[in-house]
Amino acid sequence: MLPKYEVDYIEFCQKLEIPQNHSHARKLFSLFDPESSGVIDFRNYLLCTQFLMKLNQPLIDLVKSAFEIYQNDSNGVSCEIFYFIIRHTLGVPDEVIHLIYSQIAKQSSQELITFDDFAKYARGKAEFSKIFTENVDSCEKLKQV
């Protein structure tokens, strides 16, 4: 049995409520399955759709959506998932993400980091100010924080 977030083509079509023989369904699935493994992480599809839906909203809304998509049942994300979210939504380099994670983890008594933990941290840093005000489509990725 696949982990709950991995789906094959049939499950993908079922989740989207589209026929398996739809002319674009296979193309869409293959965009998220570049190695032709036959399964995708449905969360990656959801993150992509959130990106498109949030183009005219502050970047922090996309980060929040990513946390909601990838968090486990205890309402937080692991270190590995935190890296993924921050790298893919904000474009922050791994070595900077490591520093951010370390600082947030020091302040949090839990192993998992929540969106609120990250937002509190980011609000206190001038280099993150634009993620609260600039739209997704106009905000350059954060290269140095």
Side-chain angles (χ1 to χ4, degrees):
M1 186 165 123
L2 296 173
K4 65 181 177 181
Y5 50 84
E6 288 187 356
V7 297
D8 60 17
Y9 178 70
I10 294 169
E11 292 170 295
F12 179 76
C13 291
Q14 289 170 343
K15 285 183 179 289
L16 298 181
E17 298 180 0
I18 56 175
Q20 294 174 29
N21 61 355
H22 188 280
S23 61
H24 297 293
R26 181 60 72 181
K27 289 179 188 176
L28 182 58
F29 183 84
S30 68
L31 288 173
F32 296 92
D33 185 22
E35 297 172 6
S36 301
S37 66
V39 295
I40 65 168
D41 184 330
F42 196 69
R43 300 173 301 180
N44 294 343
Y45 169 78
L46 293 174
L47 182 60
C48 183
T49 60
Q50 287 298 303
F51 172 79
L52 295 172
M53 291 172 57
K54 296 189 180 298
L55 285 176
N56 295 316
Q57 296 177 20
L59 189 55
I60 193 68
D61 291 348
L62 178 62
V63 176
K64 183 176 184 178
S65 291
F67 268 87
E68 291 169 351
I69 290 168
Y70 289 94
Q71 72 189 7
N72 67 20
D73 295 335
S74 63
N75 203 25
V77 298
S78 67
C79 178
E80 178 183 357
I81 297 298
F82 181 78
Y83 272 67
F84 178 87
I85 289 171
I86 302 305
R87 184 183 316 114
H88 290 295
T89 59
L90 301 178
V92 175
D94 284 350
E95 58 276 3
V96 177
I97 297 171
H98 176 73
L99 294 173
I100 295 168
Y101 181 85
S102 297
Q103 291 176 8
I104 295 172
K106 269 193 240 178
Q107 297 171 357
S108 174
S109 61
Q110 303 175 36
E111 273 187 42
L112 302 176
I113 291 180
T114 66
F115 169 75
D116 290 338
D117 294 332
F118 172 73
K120 180 180 175 183
Y121 171 84
R123 279 189 185 94
K125 302 291 181 185
E127 54 271 26
F128 279 103
S129 63
K130 67 183 177 180
I131 71 172
F132 294 95
T133 58
E134 291 189 23
N135 294 347
V136 171
D137 63 344
S138 66
C139 191
E140 292 182 28
K141 291 187 174 191
L142 302 169
K143 298 297 181 192
Q144 300 288 326
V145 290

